[in-house]
């Protein structure tokens, strides 16, 4: 036997806060409770049929069985650029300003390797998708966390970033519509972010995973729509949530050519591109009629309405999300996120994610994902109504 010792970068990762909750979820399930899991941000709806058919056709073509191009098939990058033009009226050169990703998480995790050296700093929102911080740390950098607070509409207060930190920072991560808070962004904030990035020479990495998942007719904007954004940044887009394709692993990044190129350089040393048949299916997803997206959004919106109304009736402090399939709920005063989620599980058999799992500033909140059908959400609400601590909270 040899001694197995993990690298510092793994040993010093922040603790996985959901471990205890996962353990209790298993325990409650084993007791025979019919657990309703609102914990996972993974669409339960199937991928639309026309996309699956495109995959099947492409999978039968031997030309697609070989290594693909590192930066993505030209046809996929061109489809992504066309989609950006149609959706956001943003012009992109598919040869220089688009790179195909094996899911956007892959690009988000790798971009720090292109720009962060040991000791460097990145600006990272808190609470946030954990990959921003882990990517920075794996590259040897340090995250300066920008708290997203209710008082500031869950936008980072850029004026609160100390000047020295801003000058030292190489990257800034942003994500709107936001996971986990479901907050949306105004053009004015993105304009401010561009000015801030220019003033401090920072590359903006905007995670746009949820721009297509929106309700009540609201159409989220792209960071790249804002004047000057393409000079300072890159935007990550994912087909995962938009087309219910999380398992397929396909996404793309667009923006400043040198940034796209550097990310591609990292990738060419690590992976060998996404399966071409999946890229062809992705082309179909981007080019076909987008009615399937509207249909899925109508379903999420109906679920949202059941859950938000149920929670508000109990007197809980929750606002109605205009985008994303998350509901961000303030836990009653005097209770911690983990305690609230723990009691929700043991007393109602419902899984919610404690907000502090997304960062310290998420303490005081829990996140519920709209990833079970309307009947199950109705059932969850019915159970909440029978739980004493929730009724007392209102
Ligand atoms: C789901 C999610 C992603 C990752 O999407 P993939 O393309 O499947 O890797 C990225 N960012 C946020 C905020 C997400 O919630």
């Amino acid at each position: 036997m040899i001694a197995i010792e993990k690298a510092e970068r793994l040993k010093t990762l922040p603790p996985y806060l959901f471990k205890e909750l996962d353990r209790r979820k298993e325990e409650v399930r084993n007791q025979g409770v019919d657990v309703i899991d609102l914990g996972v941000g993974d669409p339960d709806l199937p991928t639309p049929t026309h996309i699956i058919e495109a995959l099947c056709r492409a999978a039968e073509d031997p030309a697609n069985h070989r290594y693909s191009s590192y930066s993505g098939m030209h046809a996929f990058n061109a489809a992504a650029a066309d989609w950006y033009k149609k959706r956001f009226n943003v012009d992109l050169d598919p040869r220089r300003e688009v790179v195909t990703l094996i899911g956007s998480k892959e690009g988000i995790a790798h971009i720090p390797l292109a720009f962060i050296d040991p000791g460097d700093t990145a600006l990272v929102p808190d609470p946030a998708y954990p990959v921003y911080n882990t990517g920075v740390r794996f590259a040897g950098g340090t995250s300066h966390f920008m708290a997203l607070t209710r008082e500031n509409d869950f936008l980072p207060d850029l004026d609160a970033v100390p000047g020295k930190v801003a000058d030292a920072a190489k990257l800034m991560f942003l994500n709107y519509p936001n996971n986990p808070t479901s907050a949306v962004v105004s053009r004015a904030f993105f304009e401010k972010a561009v000015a801030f990035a220019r003033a401090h020479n920072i590359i903006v990495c905007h995670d746009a995973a949820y721009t297509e998942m929106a309700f009540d007719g609201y159409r989220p904007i792209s960071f790249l729509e804002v004047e000057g954004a393409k000079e300072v940044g890159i935007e990550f887009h994912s087909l995962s949530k938009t087309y219910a394709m999380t398992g397929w692993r396909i996404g793309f990044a667009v923006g400043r050519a040198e940034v796209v190129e550097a990310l591609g350089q990292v990738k060419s040393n690590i992976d060998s591109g996404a399966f071409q048949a999946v890229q062809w299916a992705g082309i179909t997803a981007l080019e076909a009629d987008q009615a399937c997206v509207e249909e899925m959004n109508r379903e999420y919106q109906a679920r949202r309405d059941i859950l938000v109304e149920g929670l508000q009736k109990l007197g809980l402090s929750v606002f109605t999300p205009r985008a994303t399939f998350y509901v961000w709920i303030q836990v009653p005063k005097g209770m911690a996120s983990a305690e609230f989620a723990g009691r929700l599980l043991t007393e109602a058999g419902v899984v919610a994610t404690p907000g502090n799992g997304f960062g310290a500033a998420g303490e005081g909140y829990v996140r519920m994902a709209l990833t079970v059908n309307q009947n199950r959400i109705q059932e969850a609400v019915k159970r909440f109504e029978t739980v004493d601590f929730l009724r007392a909270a209102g």
Side-chain angles (χ1 to χ4, degrees):
M1 293 282 265
I2 58 156
I4 303 297
E5 174 123 15
K6 285 184 183 172
E8 286 303 314
R9 74 175 62 82
L10 289 186
K11 287 199 286 192
T12 58
L13 272 184
Y16 179 62
L17 284 165
F18 307 137
K19 209 156 128 190
E20 173 61 12
L21 193 70
D22 286 349
R23 195 190 58 75
R24 280 172 73 179
K25 181 162 76 178
E26 259 327 286
E27 198 176 273
V28 171
R29 257 201 193 118
N30 290 340
Q31 288 163 0
V33 175
D34 169 26
V35 171
I36 300 175
D37 195 344
L38 306 180
V40 246
D42 188 353
D44 58 311
L45 304 171
T47 306
T49 315
H50 64 283
I51 301 172
I52 297 170
E53 286 167 358
L55 172 76
C56 294
R57 279 195 304 275
E60 284 176 0
D61 182 352
N64 292 327
H65 300 168
R66 312 190 63 191
Y67 286 127
S68 118
S69 145
Y70 292 123
S71 56
M73 283 162 35
H74 178 72
F76 182 85
N77 291 348
D82 287 348
W83 181 82
Y84 250 76
K85 178 70 185 168
K86 236 189 298 181
R87 171 67 176 87
F88 300 116
N89 198 25
V90 170
D91 289 299
L92 293 166
D93 176 353
R95 292 181 198 282
R96 300 173 56 245
E97 296 174 330
V98 184
V99 60
T100 306
L101 301 173
I102 308 173
S104 64
K105 180 181 187 177
E106 180 262 303
I108 291 164
H110 282 147
I111 197 157
L113 291 178
F115 298 105
I116 296 282
D117 282 318
D120 283 346
T121 303
L123 304 178
V124 174
D126 168 14
Y129 187 57
V131 185
Y132 313 139
N133 177 41
T134 42
V136 169
R137 292 178 60 123
F138 280 1
T142 311
S143 300
H144 173 87
F145 291 105
M146 307 180 291
L148 307 183
T149 64
R150 189 186 182 107
E151 293 69 43
N152 205 36
D153 299 321
F154 301 106
L155 300 171
D157 180 359
L158 299 179
D159 300 327
V161 178
K164 272 205 174 106
V165 174
D167 286 337
K170 298 273 179 73
L171 300 178
M172 172 165 71
F173 285 95
L174 294 173
N175 163 225
Y176 293 98
N178 184 258
N179 174 13
T181 70
S182 80
V184 299
V185 75
S186 65
R187 193 173 293 267
F189 177 79
F190 276 161
E191 283 165 359
K192 194 162 181 180
V194 170
F196 179 81
R198 274 192 180 142
H200 300 286
N201 211 68
I202 296 171
I203 298 168
V204 176
C205 300
H206 183 242
D207 179 352
Y210 293 97
T211 56
E212 305 318 294
M213 196 183 272
F215 316 116
D216 310 315
Y218 171 63
R219 296 285 273 165
I221 61 168
S222 158
F223 175 66
L224 297 185
E225 281 180 48
V226 169
E227 174 87 30
K230 209 165 76 174
E231 278 81 70
V232 300
I234 182 170
E235 184 156 79
F236 293 89
H237 200 89
S238 169
L239 280 72
S240 289
K241 312 293 166 42
T242 306
Y243 303 106
M245 290 175 74
T246 46
W248 296 55
R249 312 314 302 133
I250 184 82
F252 55 92
V254 297
R256 173 79 181 254
E258 289 94 328
V259 178
V260 167
E261 192 271 328
L263 174 57
Q265 193 182 351
V266 170
K267 286 173 54 57
S268 69
N269 283 283
I270 293 178
D271 67 64
S272 299
F275 181 26
Q276 290 202 72
V278 170
Q279 294 190 53
W280 282 115
I283 292 170
T284 298
L286 292 169
E287 288 181 346
D289 183 13
Q290 302 295 295
C292 60
V293 178
E294 282 164 41
E295 199 178 311
M296 287 192 270
N297 285 344
R298 269 196 298 277
E299 172 62 24
Y300 292 129
Q301 185 175 325
R303 295 174 181 183
R304 175 200 72 172
D305 291 342
I306 298 167
L307 184 62
V308 168
E309 193 188 321
L311 292 168
Q312 285 176 341
K313 241 193 215 152
L314 287 164
L316 285 162
S317 178
V318 44
F319 67 93
T320 306
R322 297 171 74 196
T324 79
F325 54 11
Y326 302 113
V327 177
W328 188 240
I329 302 149
Q330 199 161 19
V331 307
K333 270 214 165 43
M335 209 184 265
S337 298
E339 185 195 356
F340 185 89
R343 291 188 67 174
L344 214 56
L345 176 60
T346 46
E347 295 172 40
V350 175
V351 178
T353 309
N356 58 323
F358 301 99
E363 178 54 68
Y365 294 88
V366 296
R367 187 193 76 177
M368 290 185 188
L370 302 166
T371 46
V372 300
N373 68 32
Q374 294 180 43
N375 284 336
R376 296 290 278 169
I377 293 197
Q378 200 88 61
E379 166 68 19
V381 167
K382 224 162 48 196
R383 291 188 198 173
F384 295 158
E385 285 163 0
T386 67
V387 172
D388 285 337
F389 88 92
L390 276 177
R391 282 201 313 223

